Amino acid sequence: MDSDGTRDARGTHANPVPRPAAPVEAGAVPPMPAMPPGAPPRPDGSAFLAWLRAPRPQAAPGVWRFGHLPRPEREPEETPARQLLSGALIAFLVGWLMWSLLQNGYLGSWWWVPFDLLVPDAWRGSDSQIGNLLLYDGYQLLVILAIAVVVGRLGRWGEVWRRFVVARMRPAQAAPEAPAPEHDPAEFPHLRAAGAHDAADRLAAEARAGLMRDVDHARISRAWQGVRSGRHSLATFTGAVLKDGAAACLHPSGERDLPARHARHDLLAGQVRLGTAADDPRNPFQYRGAGLGLDPDLLGTSLLAVGPAGSGKTGAVVRPLAESLCLHALAGRASAVVVGAAGAGLGPAESYDVVVRIGHPESVYDLDLYGGTTDPDEAAAILAEALVGDLADPHPGGDSRRSTTVLAQLLGPFRAVHDRFPSVPELRQLLDGTPGPLAALRKALTDAGQQPLLRELDARERQMAHPGDVGTVLADRIALLDRPAFASFFDTSGQTRPFSLKALDHPVRVRIDLPERGHADASRILARLVLAQFTAAVTAREDRSLFACLLLDDASGVVTPEAVRGIQRLRSAGAGAVLTLRTLDDVPRPLRGPLLGATGCRMALAGLTPWDGQDFAEVWGKEWTETRDVTDRQIIAETPAGKAVHMLRRVITGQAPTARAVTVRQVERERWSASELAHGVPPGHAVLSLTTVRGEHAPPLLVDLRG
């Protein structure tokens, strides 16, 4: 096998080693070889067609649909194998004993009465040995069959045959036949139904030739949705397909796939596989053993994953989801923003269109501090949330309106004078109340006749004289970004290439590396800034058919009252967020319940603390379950014979004779208790509950993230 999975040319049936030909005459030119020496056989589209035609039945939320075999919702009652086999053997022995007793006359001859009543005397007195043999032995065979039917039903021989014989004799499933052309997805019947026969023929030919990938199919399907919705014309779509084939409607980057994939993806169903639902009694029967896959329909309700360091949050959750969203972006279906520490392993830079390395001198892109807005009030609200959002009242009704007002009093006048927002050093000077910049700003406003903005500046100067002025706190926080490592970042003069989250109207792939090493406080400010800009940008989009998702690898210090309200608005805006935490202690106590309530998908990884498990247990609630209470009561014999039997039983078994009483009750218990979440989740596993944007939900599932 070569590295790409194809066979080489060394003696395989698909590409046999050519036999030596007849000697070539001197001076004659040898024939040109069909392919270079050692080259693998030319690819075909068999693998792609098999993937495209694979069954994807409708299933419960979170079930990996590719090749899924549906199971019943309730577990069928199945007799244990040992009990089933022993019962079948005992039934056979009973039947054998019954026939032996009948055959030897120990039970009398009553079983010949039907024979005497039904068989004529002439038949019984026949001289034919063969006739008598058939007559008498045939009747005995009927009796044997009757006994076998009775004991077979008692011993459940049919179930033994199905479970232990038929299951092992079942032949391997043959390859599925190609469906009819009108139902074959490889023939693009939806294009033919709309009259685009030429485009369908071109795409079908490239699919059979192995020139089409799953990303190409998803991208062209997305473009066809644009034709159906009226955003694009049929002629434009057909012309692009006839010109470029499977490479039509390319992503602006020109890429048709990622450099590498570390997770299993099914772009036809839009899913990425995270693991396998464990075969555990606490999981519903229809989920046990099934793959677990997430798609935008689930991420649209947002996901919160909590687990200690090393539990797999980044490698088993964030990295596969980031990879899936990047593939969706290449298909024109989504835009992704991945935020994490530098070197966190969120995928290579080649998988992204924009990589912002804050604090890295070789970073090509900068981050727009004001989110690309030109409205001073909106910019002030976003910046206030980033700087002091964690200092606001942690209760759900808390906000940072005072800080927003202070920033708006400075940003509005500055933009009116300079036609831009202040840079970090300039904003720090204005918040500190440095006389020179404030005087220059006042003079420029006076010369321009901006009386309303002068009143804003006067109010700001009056507030500076009060000891409780929030501007001092804002100045201290903005000073964390006014460091030499960030000197070339957050530029507002237009000399750099700032990235703004306003670009989420397009299928863009963005990775933002935070400088956590040595700048932990600045990283938390920047993380809050990105989250605030993301929620403001996606809720203001006009086209919400493009799914937008923010993946925040470490949300410590990011959850604020305004952030919780923003996450709640994402569901209706065609967007979602994925947040990871080491512990819920990183979230203020009044905000833990609202955060768990704002996210529709919740994941508790192995190693959770009991107090974190208590919060998950409360949000997952309780369910009615059936419990069995077994009571063993000692039997006291009253007769001498009974006492002798009990004594013999005690000598043989070593236990006193008891009578067992079983009580079945319906009780309400927690789906997962805090103790089970803290101590009952194996390493590499997680408990995950899911909710779709349509309101369908899956109960907490024990998932093996390594499967």
Side-chain angles (χ1 to χ4, degrees):
M1 284 282 188
D2 289 341
S3 59
D4 58 353
T6 59
R7 291 188 178 272
D8 58 13
R10 292 175 294 209
T12 63
H13 294 288
N15 186 19
V17 177
R19 297 183 181 276
V24 181
E25 298 181 1
V29 179
M32 180 178 294
M35 60 183 63
R42 294 174 180 173
D44 57 17
S46 58
F48 174 78
L49 294 178
W51 170 82
L52 190 59
R53 293 166 177 165
R56 294 172 177 83
Q58 293 296 326
V63 172
W64 177 256
R65 293 173 51 196
F66 179 78
H68 173 63
L69 297 177
R71 305 178 69 181
E73 294 186 6
R74 295 184 177 273
E75 182 178 6
E77 296 184 1
E78 188 175 85
T79 307
R82 181 177 178 181
Q83 180 180 347
L84 184 64
L85 293 176
S86 60
L89 178 61
I90 293 173
F92 173 75
L93 295 177
V94 169
W96 188 12
L97 177 62
M98 177 64 67
W99 171 244
S100 179
L101 294 176
L102 291 175
Q103 180 74 9
N104 293 294
Y106 290 104
L107 299 180
S109 59
W110 58 267
W111 57 286
W112 283 101
V113 173
F115 179 84
D116 295 336
L117 295 176
L118 298 176
V119 178
D121 295 339
W123 291 10
R124 284 180 283 173
S126 175
D127 296 333
S128 174
Q129 294 182 357
I130 298 178
N132 291 332
L133 179 66
L134 294 176
L135 184 63
Y136 289 95
D137 290 352
Y139 179 74
Q140 294 183 15
L141 180 61
L142 289 177
V143 174
I144 293 174
L145 291 177
I147 295 175
V149 169
V150 174
V151 298
R153 286 182 176 274
L154 295 176
R156 289 175 287 193
W157 291 358
E159 186 175 351
V160 172
W161 175 265
R162 290 190 298 270
R163 286 177 57 179
F164 299 100
V165 180
V166 176
R168 288 167 173 76
M169 295 175 59
R170 187 174 300 161
Q173 296 182 355
E177 298 180 358
E182 61 271 14
H183 301 293
D184 188 1
E187 295 295 333
F188 298 88
H190 53 287
L191 298 184
R192 300 182 190 277
H197 294 279
D198 294 340
D201 291 338
R202 176 68 186 275
L203 294 176
E206 298 218 347
R208 289 190 295 269
L211 302 177
M212 181 177 289
R213 311 173 187 178
D214 55 352
V215 179
D216 298 329
H217 186 275
R219 187 183 64 252
I220 292 173
S221 299
R222 169 69 179 179
W224 178 249
Q225 291 178 1
V227 175
R228 297 292 298 272
S229 63
R231 293 194 303 268
H232 311 295
S233 66
L234 178 60
T236 303
F237 172 82
T238 304
V241 171
L242 292 178
K243 177 185 176 183
D244 300 321
C249 311
L250 272 181
H251 185 265
S253 65
E255 300 291 336
R256 297 173 60 184
D257 203 349
L258 298 180
R261 299 189 187 186
H262 295 275
R264 291 184 60 187
H265 302 272
D266 183 21
L267 291 181
L268 197 59
Q271 293 181 308
V272 54
R273 180 160 180 161
L274 293 188
T276 304
D279 190 4
D280 189 273
R282 291 170 291 192
N283 284 345
F285 182 71
Q286 60 179 333
Y287 280 96
R288 296 179 194 173
L292 184 84
L294 298 187
D295 56 13
D297 198 28
L298 291 168
L299 295 180
T301 61
S302 298
L303 168 66
L304 175 66
V306 182
S311 58
K313 299 187 300 297
T314 301
V317 180
V318 177
R319 176 70 182 274
L321 291 178
E323 195 173 272
S324 175
L325 290 170
C326 288
L327 289 173
H328 281 292
L330 291 178
R333 295 175 172 177
S335 54
V337 180
V338 184
V339 182
L346 300 177
E350 293 78 10
S351 298
Y352 297 90
D353 303 315
V354 176
V355 178
V356 182
R357 300 176 178 176
I358 301 177
H360 197 287
E362 297 181 0
S363 178
V364 178
Y365 290 92
D366 192 3
L367 182 64
D368 192 336
L369 193 64
Y370 302 97
T373 183
T374 58
D375 183 3
D377 293 330
E378 182 180 355
I382 293 175
L383 193 56
E385 169 65 16
L387 294 177
V388 295
D390 58 327
L391 300 180
D393 185 3
H395 291 83
D399 53 30
S400 53
R401 282 179 290 184
R402 290 183 57 194
S403 303
T404 302
T405 303
V406 169
L407 289 172
Q409 291 171 344
L410 296 175
L411 296 182
F414 192 95
R415 180 168 180 80
V417 171
H418 300 282
D419 196 27
R420 63 176 178 86
F421 288 120
S423 62
V424 170
E426 292 170 337
L427 181 59
R428 180 182 181 184
Q429 291 178 345
L430 294 174
L431 290 172
D432 281 334
T434 306
L438 287 175
L441 185 58
R442 175 179 293 278
K443 182 178 182 305
L445 291 174
T446 303
D447 295 342
Q450 297 282 354
Q451 295 301 324
L453 295 178
L454 277 173
R455 289 196 298 270
E456 291 285 316
L457 197 60
D458 292 340
R460 174 85 286 271
E461 291 181 344
R462 288 195 302 270
Q463 293 171 1
M464 289 180 184
H466 295 285
D469 179 32
V470 73
T472 304
V473 180
L474 290 170
D476 293 340
R477 286 298 180 91
I478 199 68
L480 296 173
L481 301 181
D482 189 19
R483 307 298 302 162
F486 309 135
S488 59
F489 287 85
F490 318 119
D491 181 61
T492 59
S493 62
Q495 299 179 358
T496 61
R497 301 176 62 182
F499 171 76
S500 169
L501 293 184
K502 294 287 185 180
L504 295 182
D505 285 332
H506 308 283
V508 63
R509 304 167 293 167
V510 184
R511 194 187 78 187
I512 301 177
D513 294 344
L514 301 179
E516 285 194 356
R517 181 174 299 178
H519 302 280
D521 293 334
S523 295
R524 284 190 284 269
I525 291 175
L526 294 173
R528 289 195 297 270
L529 177 67
V530 173
L531 179 57
Q533 291 183 1
F534 177 81
T535 55
V538 298
T539 53
R541 296 182 304 166
E542 295 182 1
D543 182 15
R544 296 185 176 181
S545 64
L546 185 71
F547 180 70
C549 190
L550 170 68
L551 283 80
L552 195 54
D553 187 38
D554 185 5
S556 302
V558 176
V559 180
T560 64
E562 185 60 34
V564 173
R565 286 192 288 268
I567 293 174
Q568 292 172 340
R569 294 192 297 267
L570 295 179
R571 183 170 178 173
S572 60
V578 177
L579 310 178
T580 67
L581 292 169
R582 294 186 180 91
T583 173
L584 286 176
D585 288 340
D586 294 332
V587 179
R589 165 55 67 180
L591 292 179
R592 296 179 190 176
L595 175 63
L596 290 170
T599 53
C601 303
R602 311 172 189 97
M603 177 182 288
L605 289 96
L608 208 67
T609 59
W611 42 92
D612 284 348
Q614 184 62 41
D615 292 321
F616 278 98
E618 290 178 359
V619 76
W620 281 332
K622 299 180 180 181
E623 65 177 348
W624 288 98
T625 183
E626 184 180 277
T627 62
R628 293 174 177 265
D629 296 332
V630 181
T631 304
D632 288 334
R633 178 178 58 85
Q634 184 176 356
I635 302 175
I636 300 176
E638 298 179 355
T639 63
K643 293 180 180 179
V645 172
H646 287 187
M647 182 179 298
L648 179 62
R649 182 175 176 181
R650 181 177 297 179
V651 170
I652 295 174
T653 63
Q655 298 178 355
T658 58
R660 174 169 295 183
V662 180
T663 304
V664 180
R665 295 184 301 167
Q666 292 287 335
V667 297
E668 192 177 19
R669 289 184 176 177
E670 292 178 329
R671 298 178 185 270
W672 279 83
S673 67
S675 178
E676 289 176 331
L677 290 172
H679 308 293
V681 180
H685 289 64
V687 180
L688 171 64
S689 65
L690 301 170
T691 305
T692 68
V693 294
R694 296 185 301 273
E696 301 173 346
H697 66 278
L701 306 170
L702 180 63
V703 180
D704 185 0
L705 299 177
R706 303 166 299 182

